[in-house]
Every structure is written in structure tokens, then in C-alpha cells.
Amino acid sequence: MTLHPDIHLPTPEEFADLSPEELAARLNGPSGEGLSGTLGGKLGIRMLRATREELTATMPVEGNRQPAGRLHGGASLALAEELASIGSWINLDVRREVAVGVDVSGTHVRGVTGGLVTGTARLAYRGRSVMVWEIEIQDERGKTTTLARCTCNVVRV
């Protein structure tokens, strides 16, 4: 399994030298506009901060709406899985193992019709072969729009 060629995850040795913002910038690809050819790139997901325990990213509502004009629930779940997968990767030595999302679920509690949403993923459980993340997505007023949970399996490469 090969990671996207534009994603530059730090080695375990490099990790300690990066601030959460510097690590997030690496995760956005060389242009800072997301990774080309990925769903996260198409949805406009941009990482803001990244640590091994917590990640934050934004996503525009524009371009990610359902026909009724609100943010599509699938886009919210894609944001949740993107955060959980990347969060899992930075907990691993990707020269030897990677993580893949195997379960994502969410409850959409408030509709959003414009602006940006911000997702924050927190590591709830870290094992040798599985990681579980809890993700909260909020609108620009700080109101919760989606509560999600994502499980990632660790795969040796």
C-alpha cells in the first residue's frame, strides 16, 4: 500500500521537531490546497492543526451541499474519516504500517447552509491493530452540526 506521493508524513524521529501547524501544513500537500486526486482535496478539506491525539480541519459548505441546500451528511462523514485516517497515520511509522478506515458513523444534529465547518478529531482508543476516533464538526458559530466516530485498522505494509 502506497500513500499519496504529495503527503509528507514525518518519520518518528522528525515528529518531535514539528509544531501542530507545521505538521498540518505538510498534510495539505505542496500547494497547501489539499492532495490532488483525493476525496479530501475535492471536498476542500484543509488541515489546521495536527498532533497524535487531536486534529482539526476545515471544509467549505459551498460545493458540498445536498439538493435541499444544506451540507451533505456524506461530506461531513468524509471529513470525519479524513481526520481519523490521517490521525491514525501520524501515530504510526508509515514505512512499516498504515491505517485504513473500516467504520464511520455519525449523527447530524444541525443543518448548515453556508460558510465553513470545522472538524476536530480526538483519539479515543489506540491499540496495536485498531484506533478509534471521536469527531465533532461545528459551524462557524461554534454550534455542533455532526458528532461522529471512526475506527481505523492498522495494516502492515
Side-chain angles (χ1 to χ4, degrees):
M1 182 177 298
T2 304
L3 290 177
H4 192 285
D6 290 339
I7 195 165
H8 299 291
L9 294 176
T11 65
E13 299 79 27
E14 296 172 319
F15 193 89
D17 295 332
L18 295 172
S19 73
E21 293 77 17
E22 290 169 329
L23 178 55
R26 276 185 164 198
L27 299 171
N28 287 325
S31 70
E33 296 297 317
L35 300 175
S36 63
T38 66
L39 181 60
K42 289 182 188 311
L43 296 176
I45 295 172
R46 302 293 176 267
M47 300 300 294
L48 301 178
R49 297 185 86 253
T51 70
R52 286 189 168 116
E53 295 80 30
E54 185 175 289
L55 294 92
T56 303
T58 60
M59 181 179 70
V61 173
E62 182 65 36
N64 295 317
R65 290 189 177 101
Q66 49 152 279
R70 293 175 181 260
L71 177 63
H72 196 291
S76 294
L77 291 180
L79 172 58
E81 187 165 347
E82 184 94 348
L83 284 163
S85 293
I86 292 172
S88 294
W89 297 342
I90 63 176
N91 275 283
L92 304 172
D93 182 347
V94 294
R95 297 171 294 190
R96 296 189 331 231
E97 52 193 5
V98 295
V100 294
V102 295
D103 182 65
V104 63
S105 64
T107 302
H108 309 295
V109 297
R110 177 176 281 108
V112 185
T113 58
L116 291 174
V117 291
T118 301
T120 300
R122 292 177 184 87
L123 183 59
Y125 175 80
R126 184 186 195 284
R128 287 184 313 216
S129 62
V130 69
M131 292 185 210
V132 180
W133 294 83
E134 294 176 343
I135 304 98
E136 181 177 11
I137 300 173
Q138 297 180 331
D139 65 16
E140 290 181 325
R141 299 173 301 156
K143 301 283 188 179
T144 300
T145 64
T146 299
L147 295 169
R149 177 183 214 99
C150 185
T151 302
C152 294
N153 280 355
V154 176
V155 178
R156 294 193 71 69
V157 291

Short mmCIF file of all heavy atoms in Angstrom, two decimals, residues 45-95:
data_model
loop_
_atom_site.label_atom_id
_atom_site.label_comp_id
_atom_site.label_asym_id
_atom_site.label_seq_id
_atom_site.Cartn_x
_atom_site.Cartn_y
_atom_site.Cartn_z
N ILE A 45 -11.08 20.00 1.98
CA ILE A 45 -10.64 19.81 3.36
C ILE A 45 -9.22 20.34 3.51
O ILE A 45 -8.33 20.01 2.72
CB ILE A 45 -10.71 18.32 3.77
CG1 ILE A 45 -12.17 17.85 3.76
CG2 ILE A 45 -10.05 18.11 5.13
CD1 ILE A 45 -12.34 16.36 3.95
N ARG A 46 -9.02 21.19 4.54
CA ARG A 46 -7.71 21.77 4.83
C ARG A 46 -7.38 21.56 6.30
O ARG A 46 -8.13 21.96 7.19
CB ARG A 46 -7.69 23.28 4.54
CG ARG A 46 -8.02 23.66 3.12
CD ARG A 46 -6.96 23.19 2.12
NE ARG A 46 -7.36 23.49 0.76
CZ ARG A 46 -8.02 22.64 -0.03
NH1 ARG A 46 -8.35 21.45 0.40
NH2 ARG A 46 -8.35 22.99 -1.26
N MET A 47 -6.25 20.93 6.53
CA MET A 47 -5.80 20.69 7.91
C MET A 47 -5.30 22.00 8.52
O MET A 47 -4.62 22.79 7.85
CB MET A 47 -4.66 19.67 7.92
CG MET A 47 -5.02 18.31 7.33
SD MET A 47 -6.35 17.48 8.19
CE MET A 47 -5.60 17.18 9.75
N LEU A 48 -5.67 22.23 9.79
CA LEU A 48 -5.21 23.42 10.52
C LEU A 48 -4.17 23.07 11.57
O LEU A 48 -3.19 23.79 11.74
CB LEU A 48 -6.39 24.10 11.21
CG LEU A 48 -7.53 24.59 10.33
CD1 LEU A 48 -8.63 25.19 11.19
CD2 LEU A 48 -7.03 25.58 9.30
N ARG A 49 -4.42 22.00 12.33
CA ARG A 49 -3.53 21.58 13.41
C ARG A 49 -3.54 20.06 13.45
O ARG A 49 -4.57 19.45 13.20
CB ARG A 49 -4.03 22.07 14.78
CG ARG A 49 -4.06 23.56 14.94
CD ARG A 49 -4.43 23.97 16.38
NE ARG A 49 -3.23 23.98 17.21
CZ ARG A 49 -2.93 23.07 18.14
NH1 ARG A 49 -3.73 22.09 18.40
NH2 ARG A 49 -1.81 23.16 18.83
N ALA A 50 -2.40 19.48 13.81
CA ALA A 50 -2.34 18.03 13.92
C ALA A 50 -1.35 17.63 15.00
O ALA A 50 -0.19 18.06 14.99
CB ALA A 50 -1.93 17.42 12.58
N THR A 51 -1.84 16.83 15.93
CA THR A 51 -0.99 16.16 16.91
C THR A 51 -1.40 14.69 16.89
O THR A 51 -2.36 14.31 16.23
CB THR A 51 -1.17 16.71 18.34
OG1 THR A 51 -2.46 16.34 18.84
CG2 THR A 51 -1.00 18.24 18.38
N ARG A 52 -0.70 13.88 17.65
CA ARG A 52 -1.05 12.45 17.68
C ARG A 52 -2.40 12.20 18.36
O ARG A 52 -3.01 11.17 18.14
CB ARG A 52 0.04 11.66 18.38
CG ARG A 52 1.27 11.52 17.52
CD ARG A 52 2.26 10.54 18.13
NE ARG A 52 3.29 10.21 17.17
CZ ARG A 52 4.57 10.51 17.31
NH1 ARG A 52 4.98 11.15 18.39
NH2 ARG A 52 5.43 10.17 16.39
N GLU A 53 -2.86 13.13 19.18
CA GLU A 53 -4.11 12.92 19.91
C GLU A 53 -5.28 13.73 19.38
O GLU A 53 -6.43 13.42 19.68
CB GLU A 53 -3.93 13.29 21.40
CG GLU A 53 -2.97 12.39 22.15
CD GLU A 53 -1.50 12.76 21.90
OE1 GLU A 53 -1.21 13.95 21.65
OE2 GLU A 53 -0.66 11.84 21.92
N GLU A 54 -5.01 14.80 18.59
CA GLU A 54 -6.09 15.67 18.15
C GLU A 54 -5.72 16.36 16.83
O GLU A 54 -4.61 16.84 16.68
CB GLU A 54 -6.38 16.72 19.23
CG GLU A 54 -7.56 17.60 18.91
CD GLU A 54 -7.89 18.54 20.05
OE1 GLU A 54 -8.39 18.07 21.09
OE2 GLU A 54 -7.63 19.75 19.90
N LEU A 55 -6.69 16.38 15.91
CA LEU A 55 -6.51 17.04 14.62
C LEU A 55 -7.70 17.95 14.36
O LEU A 55 -8.83 17.63 14.75
CB LEU A 55 -6.44 16.02 13.48
CG LEU A 55 -5.25 15.09 13.49
CD1 LEU A 55 -5.58 13.83 14.24
CD2 LEU A 55 -4.84 14.77 12.08
N THR A 56 -7.45 19.05 13.65
CA THR A 56 -8.51 19.99 13.29
C THR A 56 -8.36 20.35 11.82
O THR A 56 -7.25 20.61 11.35
CB THR A 56 -8.43 21.27 14.16
OG1 THR A 56 -8.50 20.90 15.53
CG2 THR A 56 -9.56 22.22 13.83
N ALA A 57 -9.50 20.36 11.12
CA ALA A 57 -9.52 20.73 9.71
C ALA A 57 -10.82 21.45 9.39
O ALA A 57 -11.81 21.31 10.12
CB ALA A 57 -9.39 19.48 8.83
N THR A 58 -10.80 22.22 8.30
CA THR A 58 -12.00 22.90 7.84
C THR A 58 -12.44 22.31 6.50
O THR A 58 -11.65 21.67 5.79
CB THR A 58 -11.79 24.41 7.65
OG1 THR A 58 -10.75 24.61 6.69
CG2 THR A 58 -11.43 25.08 8.97
N MET A 59 -13.71 22.56 6.18
CA MET A 59 -14.27 22.16 4.89
C MET A 59 -15.36 23.17 4.52
O MET A 59 -16.19 23.52 5.37
CB MET A 59 -14.87 20.76 4.99
CG MET A 59 -15.46 20.23 3.69
SD MET A 59 -16.13 18.55 3.85
CE MET A 59 -17.56 18.85 4.90
N PRO A 60 -15.37 23.65 3.27
CA PRO A 60 -16.41 24.60 2.88
C PRO A 60 -17.75 23.88 2.68
O PRO A 60 -17.79 22.72 2.27
CB PRO A 60 -15.90 25.15 1.55
CG PRO A 60 -15.05 24.07 1.00
CD PRO A 60 -14.41 23.39 2.19
N VAL A 61 -18.82 24.59 2.98
CA VAL A 61 -20.16 24.06 2.69
C VAL A 61 -20.41 24.18 1.19
O VAL A 61 -20.94 23.25 0.56
CB VAL A 61 -21.23 24.81 3.51
CG1 VAL A 61 -22.63 24.39 3.09
CG2 VAL A 61 -21.00 24.57 5.01
N GLU A 62 -20.00 25.30 0.59
CA GLU A 62 -20.17 25.50 -0.85
C GLU A 62 -19.51 24.36 -1.62
O GLU A 62 -18.36 24.01 -1.36
CB GLU A 62 -19.54 26.84 -1.27
CG GLU A 62 -19.69 27.16 -2.73
CD GLU A 62 -21.14 27.37 -3.14
OE1 GLU A 62 -21.92 27.94 -2.35
OE2 GLU A 62 -21.48 26.97 -4.26
N GLY A 63 -20.25 23.76 -2.53
CA GLY A 63 -19.74 22.64 -3.30
C GLY A 63 -19.96 21.29 -2.65
O GLY A 63 -19.69 20.26 -3.25
N ASN A 64 -20.41 21.29 -1.41
CA ASN A 64 -20.62 20.04 -0.65
C ASN A 64 -22.05 19.95 -0.10
O ASN A 64 -22.29 19.34 0.93
CB ASN A 64 -19.60 19.96 0.50
CG ASN A 64 -18.19 19.84 -0.01
OD1 ASN A 64 -17.93 19.09 -0.94
ND2 ASN A 64 -17.29 20.61 0.56
N ARG A 65 -22.98 20.57 -0.84
CA ARG A 65 -24.38 20.59 -0.39
C ARG A 65 -25.18 19.43 -0.99
O ARG A 65 -24.88 18.94 -2.07
CB ARG A 65 -25.05 21.89 -0.82
CG ARG A 65 -24.56 23.11 -0.10
CD ARG A 65 -25.44 24.32 -0.46
NE ARG A 65 -25.04 25.49 0.28
CZ ARG A 65 -24.30 26.46 -0.24
NH1 ARG A 65 -23.91 26.42 -1.49
NH2 ARG A 65 -23.96 27.50 0.51
N GLN A 66 -26.24 19.07 -0.30
CA GLN A 66 -27.24 18.15 -0.82
C GLN A 66 -28.24 18.96 -1.65
O GLN A 66 -28.18 20.20 -1.62
CB GLN A 66 -27.93 17.43 0.33
CG GLN A 66 -28.38 18.40 1.43
CD GLN A 66 -29.57 17.94 2.19
OE1 GLN A 66 -30.67 18.10 1.71
NE2 GLN A 66 -29.33 17.41 3.37
N PRO A 67 -29.13 18.33 -2.40
CA PRO A 67 -30.07 19.09 -3.23
C PRO A 67 -30.94 20.08 -2.47
O PRO A 67 -31.37 21.09 -3.03
CB PRO A 67 -30.92 17.99 -3.89
CG PRO A 67 -30.01 16.81 -3.95
CD PRO A 67 -29.20 16.90 -2.68
N ALA A 68 -31.18 19.86 -1.19
CA ALA A 68 -32.00 20.77 -0.39
C ALA A 68 -31.22 22.00 0.08
O ALA A 68 -31.77 22.85 0.77
CB ALA A 68 -32.61 20.04 0.81
N GLY A 69 -29.92 22.10 -0.28
CA GLY A 69 -29.15 23.29 0.03
C GLY A 69 -28.35 23.24 1.32
O GLY A 69 -27.64 24.19 1.63
N ARG A 70 -28.44 22.17 2.06
CA ARG A 70 -27.66 22.03 3.30
C ARG A 70 -26.41 21.20 3.05
O ARG A 70 -26.33 20.47 2.07
CB ARG A 70 -28.51 21.36 4.38
CG ARG A 70 -29.67 22.19 4.83
CD ARG A 70 -30.54 21.40 5.82
NE ARG A 70 -31.67 22.20 6.23
CZ ARG A 70 -31.73 22.86 7.37
NH1 ARG A 70 -30.72 22.80 8.22
NH2 ARG A 70 -32.79 23.57 7.68
N LEU A 71 -25.45 21.31 3.97
CA LEU A 71 -24.25 20.49 3.88
C LEU A 71 -24.66 19.02 3.82
O LEU A 71 -25.46 18.55 4.63
CB LEU A 71 -23.35 20.74 5.09
CG LEU A 71 -22.07 19.91 5.18
CD1 LEU A 71 -21.14 20.20 4.01
CD2 LEU A 71 -21.37 20.17 6.50
N HIS A 72 -24.11 18.30 2.86
CA HIS A 72 -24.42 16.88 2.68
C HIS A 72 -23.84 16.09 3.86
O HIS A 72 -22.68 16.27 4.23
CB HIS A 72 -23.82 16.39 1.37
CG HIS A 72 -24.38 15.11 0.89
ND1 HIS A 72 -24.14 13.92 1.53
CD2 HIS A 72 -25.17 14.83 -0.17
CE1 HIS A 72 -24.76 12.95 0.88
NE2 HIS A 72 -25.40 13.48 -0.16
N GLY A 73 -24.64 15.19 4.41
CA GLY A 73 -24.18 14.36 5.52
C GLY A 73 -22.99 13.49 5.13
O GLY A 73 -22.10 13.24 5.94
N GLY A 74 -22.95 13.05 3.88
CA GLY A 74 -21.82 12.26 3.41
C GLY A 74 -20.53 13.06 3.41
O GLY A 74 -19.45 12.52 3.69
N ALA A 75 -20.62 14.35 3.11
CA ALA A 75 -19.42 15.20 3.16
C ALA A 75 -18.93 15.33 4.59
O ALA A 75 -17.72 15.29 4.85
CB ALA A 75 -19.73 16.58 2.56
N SER A 76 -19.86 15.46 5.53
CA SER A 76 -19.46 15.53 6.94
C SER A 76 -18.77 14.25 7.38
O SER A 76 -17.74 14.29 8.07
CB SER A 76 -20.69 15.79 7.83
OG SER A 76 -21.22 17.05 7.57
N LEU A 77 -19.30 13.11 6.96
CA LEU A 77 -18.67 11.84 7.33
C LEU A 77 -17.33 11.66 6.63
O LEU A 77 -16.41 11.07 7.20
CB LEU A 77 -19.61 10.67 7.04
CG LEU A 77 -20.85 10.61 7.93
CD1 LEU A 77 -21.71 9.41 7.57
CD2 LEU A 77 -20.47 10.58 9.40
N ALA A 78 -17.20 12.19 5.41
CA ALA A 78 -15.90 12.14 4.74
C ALA A 78 -14.87 12.97 5.50
O ALA A 78 -13.71 12.56 5.65
CB ALA A 78 -16.03 12.62 3.29
N LEU A 79 -15.28 14.14 5.99
CA LEU A 79 -14.38 14.95 6.82
C LEU A 79 -13.98 14.18 8.06
O LEU A 79 -12.80 14.15 8.43
CB LEU A 79 -15.06 16.28 7.18
CG LEU A 79 -14.33 17.17 8.20
CD1 LEU A 79 -12.93 17.55 7.72
CD2 LEU A 79 -15.18 18.41 8.49
N ALA A 80 -14.94 13.52 8.70
CA ALA A 80 -14.65 12.75 9.91
C ALA A 80 -13.64 11.63 9.62
O ALA A 80 -12.66 11.46 10.35
CB ALA A 80 -15.94 12.17 10.49
N GLU A 81 -13.85 10.89 8.53
CA GLU A 81 -12.95 9.79 8.21
C GLU A 81 -11.57 10.29 7.79
O GLU A 81 -10.55 9.69 8.10
CB GLU A 81 -13.53 8.87 7.15
CG GLU A 81 -12.66 7.64 6.94
CD GLU A 81 -13.34 6.51 6.19
OE1 GLU A 81 -14.56 6.53 6.01
OE2 GLU A 81 -12.60 5.60 5.78
N GLU A 82 -11.54 11.41 7.08
CA GLU A 82 -10.25 12.00 6.69
C GLU A 82 -9.42 12.34 7.94
O GLU A 82 -8.24 12.02 8.03
CB GLU A 82 -10.49 13.27 5.86
CG GLU A 82 -9.24 13.90 5.34
CD GLU A 82 -8.88 13.45 3.93
OE1 GLU A 82 -9.47 12.49 3.42
OE2 GLU A 82 -7.98 14.07 3.35
N LEU A 83 -10.06 12.97 8.92
CA LEU A 83 -9.35 13.32 10.16
C LEU A 83 -8.87 12.07 10.89
O LEU A 83 -7.73 11.99 11.35
CB LEU A 83 -10.27 14.15 11.06
CG LEU A 83 -10.46 15.60 10.64
CD1 LEU A 83 -11.67 16.20 11.34
CD2 LEU A 83 -9.21 16.41 10.94
N ALA A 84 -9.74 11.07 11.01
CA ALA A 84 -9.38 9.84 11.74
C ALA A 84 -8.27 9.08 11.03
O ALA A 84 -7.34 8.58 11.67
CB ALA A 84 -10.62 8.96 11.91
N SER A 85 -8.35 8.98 9.71
CA SER A 85 -7.32 8.24 8.97
C SER A 85 -5.97 8.93 9.08
O SER A 85 -4.96 8.28 9.38
CB SER A 85 -7.72 8.11 7.50
OG SER A 85 -8.85 7.29 7.37
N ILE A 86 -5.95 10.22 8.86
CA ILE A 86 -4.68 10.95 8.96
C ILE A 86 -4.17 10.92 10.40
O ILE A 86 -2.97 10.74 10.64
CB ILE A 86 -4.83 12.38 8.43
CG1 ILE A 86 -5.07 12.35 6.91
CG2 ILE A 86 -3.60 13.23 8.77
CD1 ILE A 86 -5.41 13.68 6.29
N GLY A 87 -5.06 11.07 11.36
CA GLY A 87 -4.66 10.97 12.76
C GLY A 87 -4.03 9.63 13.08
O GLY A 87 -3.04 9.54 13.82
N SER A 88 -4.60 8.58 12.51
CA SER A 88 -4.03 7.25 12.74
C SER A 88 -2.65 7.14 12.10
O SER A 88 -1.72 6.60 12.70
CB SER A 88 -4.97 6.18 12.18
OG SER A 88 -6.19 6.16 12.91
N TRP A 89 -2.51 7.67 10.86
CA TRP A 89 -1.21 7.59 10.19
C TRP A 89 -0.12 8.24 11.00
O TRP A 89 1.00 7.73 11.06
CB TRP A 89 -1.26 8.27 8.83
CG TRP A 89 -2.18 7.68 7.84
CD1 TRP A 89 -2.74 6.42 7.85
CD2 TRP A 89 -2.67 8.32 6.67
NE1 TRP A 89 -3.55 6.26 6.76
CE2 TRP A 89 -3.53 7.41 6.02
CE3 TRP A 89 -2.48 9.58 6.12
CZ2 TRP A 89 -4.18 7.72 4.84
CZ3 TRP A 89 -3.13 9.89 4.95
CH2 TRP A 89 -3.96 8.97 4.32
N ILE A 90 -0.40 9.39 11.60
CA ILE A 90 0.68 10.08 12.33
C ILE A 90 1.00 9.41 13.66
O ILE A 90 1.95 9.80 14.33
CB ILE A 90 0.43 11.60 12.48
CG1 ILE A 90 -0.81 11.89 13.31
CG2 ILE A 90 0.36 12.27 11.11
CD1 ILE A 90 -1.04 13.38 13.56
N ASN A 91 0.23 8.39 14.02
CA ASN A 91 0.56 7.58 15.18
C ASN A 91 1.38 6.35 14.82
O ASN A 91 1.72 5.56 15.69
CB ASN A 91 -0.72 7.15 15.90
CG ASN A 91 -1.21 8.20 16.86
OD1 ASN A 91 -0.67 8.33 17.94
ND2 ASN A 91 -2.21 8.97 16.44
N LEU A 92 1.68 6.21 13.53
CA LEU A 92 2.38 5.02 13.05
C LEU A 92 3.68 5.40 12.36
O LEU A 92 3.87 6.54 11.97
CB LEU A 92 1.49 4.28 12.03
CG LEU A 92 0.11 3.86 12.52
CD1 LEU A 92 -0.72 3.31 11.36
CD2 LEU A 92 0.21 2.85 13.64
N ASP A 93 4.53 4.42 12.18
CA ASP A 93 5.69 4.58 11.31
C ASP A 93 5.24 4.08 9.94
O ASP A 93 5.18 2.87 9.71
CB ASP A 93 6.88 3.77 11.83
CG ASP A 93 8.13 3.95 10.98
OD1 ASP A 93 8.02 4.49 9.86
OD2 ASP A 93 9.20 3.53 11.45
N VAL A 94 4.88 5.00 9.05
CA VAL A 94 4.28 4.62 7.77
C VAL A 94 5.26 3.92 6.82
O VAL A 94 4.87 3.49 5.75
CB VAL A 94 3.59 5.82 7.06
CG1 VAL A 94 2.41 6.29 7.87
CG2 VAL A 94 4.57 6.93 6.78
N ARG A 95 6.49 3.79 7.24
CA ARG A 95 7.42 2.96 6.46
C ARG A 95 7.09 1.48 6.68
O ARG A 95 7.47 0.65 5.87
CB ARG A 95 8.86 3.24 6.88
CG ARG A 95 9.29 4.69 6.59
CD ARG A 95 10.63 5.01 7.19
NE ARG A 95 10.56 4.97 8.65
CZ ARG A 95 11.52 5.39 9.47
NH1 ARG A 95 12.64 5.89 8.97
NH2 ARG A 95 11.36 5.33 10.77
#
